[in-house]
């Protein structure tokens, strides 16, 4: 069996042989500058949403992410940027403090990925123990 590479695959033949695809694609709609504007505005809002969600998560690289978010906002509108940055700064600071607290408690070297969690040493273990339940 030979290796399949991008050069050896005939994509046009695969597409042409698909009975579900129409032989002639529908014509493109006429160019509409307002559609371009709304499309760009949607993309801008989606990027803003992603940045704003990201700055609220305690994670490695959060400071750099916040700086990139600030630069992103300032590149589009300085006046809107100052309002949004002031709104999201407390949320970023909270996520940063949570990250730093977690970092003091656990370091990446102490966490063992891929292993099951076990009770701490000295805890009583047993099936069905621990109280709670009905």
């Amino acid at each position: 069996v030979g290796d399949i590479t991008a050069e050896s695959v005939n994509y046009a033949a695969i597409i042409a042989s698909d009975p579900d695809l129409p032989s002639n694609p529908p014509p493109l709609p006429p160019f509409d500058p307002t559609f371009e504007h709304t499309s760009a505005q949607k993309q801008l809002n989606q990027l803003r949403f992603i940045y704003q969600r990201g700055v609220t998560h305690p994670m490695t690289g959060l400071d750099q992410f916040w700086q990139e978010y600030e630069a992103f906002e300032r590149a589009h509108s300085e006046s809107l940027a100052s309002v949004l940055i002031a709104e999201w700064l407390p949320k970023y600071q909270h996520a940063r403090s949570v990250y730093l607290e977690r970092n003091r408690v656990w370091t990446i070297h102490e966490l063992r990925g891929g292993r099951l969690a076990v009770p701490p040493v000295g805890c009583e273990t047993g099936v069905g123990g621990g109280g709670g339940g009905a």
Side-chain angles (χ1 to χ4, degrees), residues 2-128:
D3 290 336
I4 296 177
T5 63
E7 294 83 26
S8 66
V9 177
N10 185 351
Y11 292 106
I14 294 171
I15 292 170
S17 67
D18 189 344
D20 295 330
L21 293 175
S23 58
N24 293 325
L28 293 174
F31 176 71
D32 182 4
T34 58
F35 175 77
E36 281 295 315
H37 176 71
T38 57
S39 177
Q41 190 63 35
K42 275 186 184 177
Q43 185 179 21
L44 181 68
N45 288 338
Q46 287 174 337
L47 285 171
R48 181 173 285 130
F49 176 77
I50 291 167
Y51 269 118
Q52 290 171 346
R53 288 279 312 266
V55 299
T56 63
H57 292 281
M59 62 182 174
T60 303
L62 182 61
D63 293 329
Q64 176 66 31
F65 194 77
W66 174 256
Q67 290 171 356
E68 290 174 11
Y69 170 63
E70 284 183 314
F72 167 78
E73 290 295 358
R74 287 197 172 102
H76 291 92
S77 169
E78 189 66 38
S79 59
L80 179 60
S82 61
V83 172
L84 290 174
I85 288 170
E87 178 183 342
W88 287 89
L89 181 63
K91 297 171 186 175
Y92 153 72
Q93 290 171 334
H94 176 71
R96 186 174 188 273
S97 67
V98 169
Y99 171 74
L100 293 174
E101 179 63 28
R102 287 179 184 173
N103 229 15
R104 279 191 285 271
V105 175
W106 299 290
T107 64
I108 194 70
H109 302 294
E110 292 172 341
L111 298 176
R112 296 181 184 143
R115 296 195 60 194
L116 293 174
V118 294
V121 176
C123 287
E124 190 175 315
T125 62
V127 177

